[in-house]
Structure formats: structure tokens, C-alpha cells
Amino acid sequence: MMLIRYTSQIGKYFLMLKEIFNKPTKWSVMKGLIYKEVDDLIIDSLGIVAFISFFVGGVVSMQTALNLTNSFIPKYLIGYATRQSVILEFAPTFMSIIMAGKMGSFITSSIGSMRVTEQIDALEVMGVNSLNYLVFPKIIALLLYPFLVGIGMFLGITGGYIATVYGGFGNSIDFIDGLQRDFIPFHVVYAFTKTFIFGMLLATIPSFHGFYMKGGALEVGKASTVSFVWTSVTIILLNYIITQLLLTK
């Protein structure tokens, strides 16, 4: 019974994706909606992304330095480990899980509130494709999500550099040597590929849970929690699949 319910929900999700692109809203209206979503989802997230990235990069570098107890182990490994950790996993994947809590809960609660107050029904009565009107601007706004993650990568490495050099764990030359050593440009492509896919999930899964929720104000909170859980689970599963496809030979 549970398998049937989950399969039904997955099918409903993909039907929703198809419906989003039917009967588009006029561009003059859509343009304003997109600007608003960019402000709400991207610009408002800059602060928390910058704060978390900077200090996590610092913690990664300090933990790496503290584990280099053997004097024969080169100090450049601090910069190398910081670069690999931030670019490959922290910035694209763990930042996306954090954003599933921030962005996802906001999207689900805003659309769910519109469902509860019958604003979505009013849009449909007026002949508006409510899915296109509500979800499409979020998808377009989150095309800028890789830009947010790129800032996270830069600040994570910067935080690692400052923690290492000014914390007395290593010198600037060794850290920069580690950043440059054995650098594989495809790792950046891999990270941004993941980020783009995760951005689409952040836009659509919370929207799905908000749009199809039933009940009142209490159910809006429950839907936000459920959307966060399923967005995080999907991100983690796809992270494994994408890594298997792109990085393993």
C-alpha cells in the first residue's frame, strides 16, 4: 500500500512538471514574478551562504591541520583537503540540504498558504495556469543557484586560508600550493552540474508539497517539514548517482 502511494506521488510530481510549461503566463506579468523570486530565494540567501561557507571552510582546514601529526606529512595537504572538501561536497551538496530547509520551507509555506486561503482556486477560476504562475518563476530564479554555490566555494576556501595562516596552522605558500596541486578542472564542472540539478529539485519538490497540500494552517507546517525531508533525501540519492556517473571510471 505504501509503495502504491509513493509511486502515485512520484507520477503526480512528473505530471506537475509537464503542466508547469503549459499555457504560459504573459511575459509582462512573469517578468515581475521572476524578479521577486530572485530577490526572495537568491538574494535573501546570500548572507547565510556566506556565513556558513566561510566558517565551515575554516573548520575543515583546522581539522585537517590538527590531524597532520607526523612531521613528514607535507603542510600543503591542508590547502588540498580544503579545496577538495569545499568544491566536491560541501558547497554543492551540503549547502543544498541547508537551502532545502531555508528555500524549501519558504516555497512550501507560501504556496500552501495560498492553497489554504483559496488564492490558487481564484487563479484557476480566472483561467490562469496556477502551476506556471507560481512554480515557473521559482525554476527560472534558481537557475542562478550555481552563482550562489560559487560564492560559497570561494568563501569556504577563503575561510580555510584565513584559519590556516592566521591561526598558526601553516603558511600562505603551503596553503596556496595545496590549492593548486593536482587540480582537476572537471571537478568544478561536476560540482556545478550537481548544483544545477539540485536547484531544480529545490524549486519543484517544495512547490509540489505546497500546491497539493490539503487542510488548514497546521497542515502548512507539516507540508513544509515533509518537503524538507523529501528534498534532502532526493538530493542525497542523486548526489550518489551523479558521483557514480561522472567521477567513477
Side-chain angles (χ1 to χ4, degrees):
M1 193 70 182
M2 187 177 292
L3 180 62
I4 294 172
R5 184 162 64 88
Y6 286 151
T7 305
S8 171
Q9 291 291 302
I10 292 169
K12 198 174 181 180
Y13 170 76
F14 283 105
L15 288 173
M16 182 198 79
L17 294 182
K18 176 177 176 292
E19 187 63 27
I20 288 169
F21 299 97
N22 290 337
K23 196 180 174 186
T25 306
K26 288 191 301 183
W27 175 245
S28 57
V29 176
M30 182 60 70
K31 183 169 63 173
L33 295 172
I34 291 171
Y35 288 152
K36 183 179 182 302
E37 297 298 344
V38 169
D39 185 51
D40 289 342
L41 300 178
I42 302 298
I43 304 301
D44 281 359
S45 300
L46 278 171
I48 189 168
V49 167
F51 179 81
I52 293 173
S53 299
F54 184 84
F55 285 102
V56 168
V59 169
V60 168
S61 66
M62 284 193 292
Q63 289 181 345
T64 304
L66 291 171
N67 281 286
L68 298 181
T69 53
N70 193 319
S71 59
F72 291 103
I73 300 176
K75 290 290 185 181
Y76 72 75
L77 282 177
I78 301 171
Y80 179 84
T82 302
R83 182 196 76 201
Q84 293 297 93
S85 301
V86 169
I87 290 178
L88 290 178
E89 280 307 310
F90 170 72
T93 306
F94 293 104
M95 189 57 72
S96 295
I97 293 172
I98 293 167
M99 288 299 107
K102 185 191 181 298
M103 289 183 188
S105 297
F106 172 78
I107 291 170
T108 303
S109 59
S110 60
I111 295 178
S113 298
M114 292 183 72
R115 173 64 75 187
V116 168
T117 55
E118 300 181 350
Q119 294 179 56
I120 293 176
D121 297 331
L123 287 172
E124 291 171 349
V125 166
M126 290 188 292
V128 176
N129 179 354
S130 53
L131 278 170
N132 179 265
Y133 184 88
L134 295 172
V135 183
F136 184 74
K138 294 173 174 55
I139 292 175
I140 299 301
L142 280 166
L143 291 177
L144 294 174
Y145 182 59
F147 165 74
L148 205 61
V149 169
I151 290 174
M153 290 178 184
F154 172 76
L155 289 175
I157 292 171
T158 302
Y161 174 84
I162 291 173
T164 302
V165 175
Y166 295 97
F169 297 103
N171 60 55
S172 176
I173 294 172
D174 286 338
F175 189 90
I176 293 172
D177 180 31
L179 287 182
Q180 297 173 335
R181 188 176 290 263
D182 297 330
F183 177 65
I184 301 173
F186 182 72
H187 284 172
V188 178
V189 176
Y190 157 80
F192 280 114
T193 301
K194 287 202 301 185
T195 300
F196 176 78
I197 295 170
F198 296 161
M200 294 303 99
L201 295 178
L202 288 170
T204 54
I205 294 178
S207 296
F208 172 80
H209 286 282
F211 191 85
Y212 291 108
M213 62 146 293
K214 293 181 175 65
L218 181 62
E219 280 70 24
V220 173
K222 290 180 179 178
S224 297
T225 303
V226 172
S227 79
F228 167 69
V229 171
W230 281 110
T231 305
S232 301
V233 167
T234 310
I235 285 170
I236 290 167
L237 286 175
L238 278 179
N239 183 47
Y240 177 83
I241 293 168
I242 293 167
T243 303
Q244 186 75 25
L245 290 173
L246 296 183
L247 288 190
T248 58
K249 295 180 181 180

